[in-house]
Every structure is written in structure tokens, then in C-alpha cells.
Amino acid sequence: VFIRTEHDGEKGILLVKRLNHPAKNVYWPVGGRVLRGISTEESLRKKVEEECSLALKKIEYLATARTFFKEEPFGHNKGTDTINLVYVADGVGEPKLNSLHTSPLIVTRENYQDLRPTLDPYSQTYLDSINEKNLW
């Protein structure tokens, strides 16, 4: 989920550096696997609370995506192939990252074009969509 929030006086979309594979040391949106037995949105709320201590409001579906990584966290040496439900939502509270994430980055409408070349194509694609749809 691309979370609209405020951190250190800046309002924008929160990206965090992941400390594990896949996408290790890459700025990435918050979220993860869907938890078994609950709705996708409830799972998203729980994962966001766990990963960055934010409560979500105004959850809006953006797209379905697929990502491929050579790396994987499971030890089977087959890489990672994921189907992703991409959302944008408002984050309520002050971001406090868990031990699997670091270096919170707030991407604003004003700084996005300067940051864009430094971001992963996945984040670029959905931040472009957020920008085009004026969802900041």
C-alpha cells in the first residue's frame, strides 16, 4: 500500500527500505502477504500496523501487479514471483518502523520528479499513477 502520511513535517507517500529479500535495500511501499482467513483489506491493516504502526483509512484499490525477483526469503533458490494488490490509503499516526524496515522516505508531489530516477520501477509505476490521478 502506498500510504499518504506525514513524517518529520513532510506530507506525502511513505516508502521504506526493506532489510530482507526480496527487494532488500530498496525503497518499497509497506505491506506484505495476505494473512490467512481474513479479508485482503483487514490483512493490509494488520500488516501496516505491524510494519510501521500506522492505522489505515480511505483504502483505495489501484491495480493488480506482478513482480519477479531472483532473490527469495524461503531458501528454495527459485526466486520470488508474486501477484500484488496495489492500494493507496491514508495513514493515521506517526510512522514507527519495525525491525524489517529502515530509512523512511516521504515522497511528495514536489520532490517526486527528482526522486523518481532513484526508485525501483515498481514504485515508479504506481507513484506515476498516484500523480496522474492526483491522489497525493
Side-chain angles (χ1 to χ4, degrees):
V1 62
F2 289 85
I3 303 171
R4 294 180 292 242
T5 193
E6 184 173 347
H7 180 65
D8 290 339
E10 286 194 285
K11 289 183 181 180
I13 304 292
L14 173 67
L15 298 179
V16 296
K17 275 199 179 174
R18 293 175 47 89
L19 296 176
N20 58 350
H21 290 295
K24 184 176 181 178
N25 294 320
V26 173
Y27 275 111
W28 204 256
V30 175
R33 287 174 258 146
V34 176
L35 299 171
R36 184 181 209 159
I38 61 175
S39 73
T40 303
E41 287 190 10
E42 184 60 25
S43 178
L44 186 59
R45 283 185 174 92
K46 287 180 179 261
K47 294 301 278 183
V48 167
E49 174 72 27
E50 175 186 303
E51 292 182 15
C52 68
S53 299
L54 293 173
L56 292 182
K57 297 209 176 195
K58 298 182 183 175
I59 299 171
E60 182 178 341
Y61 171 81
L62 282 180
T64 299
R66 190 170 183 182
T67 52
F68 302 94
F69 300 94
K70 290 179 183 177
E71 302 84 13
E72 49 82 23
F74 307 112
H76 56 56
N77 296 318
K78 295 180 182 178
T80 304
D81 180 356
T82 64
I83 301 295
N84 309 300
L85 302 174
V86 184
Y87 293 88
V88 63
D90 291 341
V92 178
E94 179 66 24
K96 295 179 186 95
L97 303 182
N98 69 3
S99 63
L100 300 176
H101 304 86
T102 188
S103 306
L105 173 68
I106 298 295
V107 180
T108 66
R109 180 191 312 260
E110 293 76 26
N111 71 13
Y112 177 52
Q113 290 308 315
D114 290 336
L115 288 173
R116 189 180 189 282
T118 69
L119 300 174
D120 183 87
Y122 180 86
S123 291
Q124 289 176 1
T125 296
Y126 297 104
L127 286 168
D128 286 349
S129 179
I130 287 166
N131 200 36
E132 289 167 11
K133 294 177 181 183
N134 198 28
L135 297 174
W136 294 99

